[in-house]
Amino acid sequence: MTPIVSLDLASWRPNAPEEQQTAIRTLEGGGVLLLPHLAFELSRGERRFLSPAWSNDRAKNISLEGNVLKGARGDPESLAALAHMIARFAERAGELVTGLFPRYAPYVKRARTSFRPQPAVGRTLSWRKDDSRLHIDAFPSRPNRGERILRVFSNVNPVEDRVWRVGEEYAAMAQKFLPQIRRQLPGTPALLALLHVTKGIRSEYDHLMLGMHDKAKADLGYQRDCPQQTVRFPPGATWLCFSDQVMHAAVSGQYMLEQTIHLPVTALYDPESSPLAILERLCGRRLLPAH
Ligand SMILES: [Fe+2]
């Protein structure tokens, strides 16, 4: 079963070695690190952002990339304040990751920060985009060639839990679905890149990750019967995981902040724990092109 490990942390700048050890062991071991008392506090003025009305309807999430706010609507002053709130969370999340995982610090390049004012589930989507089904994160248009996806989440809802289902361990899931995935046709990765369907070449690693994402979501029997647990993230909780490794599914909740951080496999304390290394062991061959 995927480990869910709770740490009684109250500072965004932790530096205790035992906390670091627990955090490293949990995350790189494919678990979820839960910090129930590490709240991201909203100012009184920011509490007005706890409403889906700030979404511009086209996007599910409001996001901040660099200084650009996307997916939001409102008057310029409010949007500036909203961007400021999201940027402050990005800052805290970066400090937290640097504090708990000093080895990651030089590699921490922040990707998108998002604020999710919509209910976690409820919209009808295609099964492939339905995040209420257990999945690992893998994106069709963004091959990452083994780069890790580390995510920091905070539930900023004052009253309602964020609820996930968390599935079985990565290797067990991979063993089930790998045999069902066909090899990419030769030439396909280059063609997809040429047509800008993918940003860069889809490696065999990316192909397998995407295949497992899709096979798991499409398999309703697996969704129902696989080993899983319900995990509740209470108001004021923060949690972290490698979302390319932890099988997760949204159950309910509203108002969450999320920071994505991409890390090269070489930044890990134990690169052998990565999905890339696990898949290469299971397949018995290299899954990235040599360069
Ligand atoms: Fe996900």
Side-chain angles (χ1 to χ4, degrees):
M1 199 58 113
T2 297
I4 315 291
V5 176
S6 193
L7 204 55
D8 195 8
L9 208 70
S11 162
W12 290 91
R13 293 183 173 187
N15 58 11
E18 57 278 16
E19 291 167 349
Q20 293 169 343
Q21 287 309 319
T22 304
I24 294 163
R25 209 178 329 113
T26 302
L27 245 64
E28 294 199 3
V32 178
L33 183 68
L34 170 57
L35 311 171
H37 304 122
L38 188 62
F40 180 73
E41 304 283 356
L42 303 188
S43 69
R44 193 182 306 179
E46 286 169 342
R47 281 181 213 143
R48 70 192 149 123
F49 297 127
L50 300 181
S51 157
W54 298 96
S55 283
N56 71 6
D57 289 337
R58 285 190 302 276
K60 193 170 142 204
N61 301 326
I62 294 173
S63 67
L64 187 67
E65 262 177 277
N67 293 324
V68 184
L69 188 69
K70 289 180 187 162
R73 67 170 167 207
D75 61 279
E77 205 177 312
S78 298
L79 292 182
L82 178 56
H84 183 73
M85 175 185 89
I86 300 172
R88 202 174 76 246
F89 178 73
E91 197 67 32
R92 295 287 169 279
E95 287 170 350
L96 178 67
V97 168
T98 300
L100 288 175
F101 312 92
R103 214 187 120 78
Y104 299 173
Y107 302 96
V108 169
K109 51 170 178 172
R110 277 180 220 136
R112 207 197 37 197
T113 316
S114 71
F115 172 52
R116 308 185 182 186
Q118 304 287 346
V121 290
R123 291 190 175 192
T124 29
L125 297 160
S126 73
W127 62 267
R128 196 174 263 120
K129 288 186 177 170
D130 182 359
D131 288 340
S132 72
R133 302 184 188 202
L134 287 161
H135 65 284
I136 46 163
D137 286 346
F139 304 100
S141 60
R142 280 182 275 151
N144 62 23
R145 291 171 285 273
E147 197 174 56
R148 305 304 315 275
I149 306 172
L150 170 56
R151 293 196 143 146
V152 182
F153 305 90
S154 267
N155 182 6
V156 291
N157 192 311
V159 290
E160 193 188 342
D161 290 354
R162 191 93 185 174
V163 185
W164 277 12
R165 287 187 295 143
V166 173
E168 64 184 334
E169 287 192 359
Y170 179 86
M173 178 279 296
Q175 272 170 309
K176 274 188 198 112
F177 292 111
L178 278 179
Q180 301 178 24
I181 302 168
R182 292 200 195 146
R183 287 233 185 170
Q184 294 193 98
L185 291 173
T188 303
L191 188 64
L192 291 174
L194 194 69
L195 296 174
H196 301 290
V197 174
T198 57
K199 211 172 150 194
I201 294 281
R202 184 183 289 171
S203 67
E204 200 182 351
Y205 169 80
D206 292 295
H207 174 71
L208 293 177
M209 290 290 283
L210 211 50
M212 292 188 296
H213 169 277
D214 289 357
K215 296 284 180 199
K217 277 190 175 175
D219 188 337
L220 292 176
Y222 177 80
Q223 292 290 327
R224 191 185 57 235
D225 301 329
C226 72
Q228 57 190 281
Q229 56 192 314
T230 299
V231 183
R232 308 189 75 87
F233 304 105
T238 292
W239 64 104
L240 303 85
C241 71
F242 280 114
S243 64
D244 55 356
Q245 189 165 17
V246 170
M247 288 291 282
H248 60 284
V251 175
S252 66
Q254 191 172 11
Y255 309 131
M256 179 173 78
L257 280 152
E258 175 266 338
Q259 176 64 52
T260 299
I261 291 170
H262 295 299
L263 286 174
V265 171
T266 50
L268 300 176
Y269 291 82
D270 178 16
E272 291 302 310
S273 70
S274 66
L276 175 63
I278 293 169
L279 288 182
E280 288 190 338
R281 283 198 294 275
L282 289 173
C283 296
R285 61 178 189 277
R286 304 304 298 269
L287 299 173
L288 293 183
H291 48 188

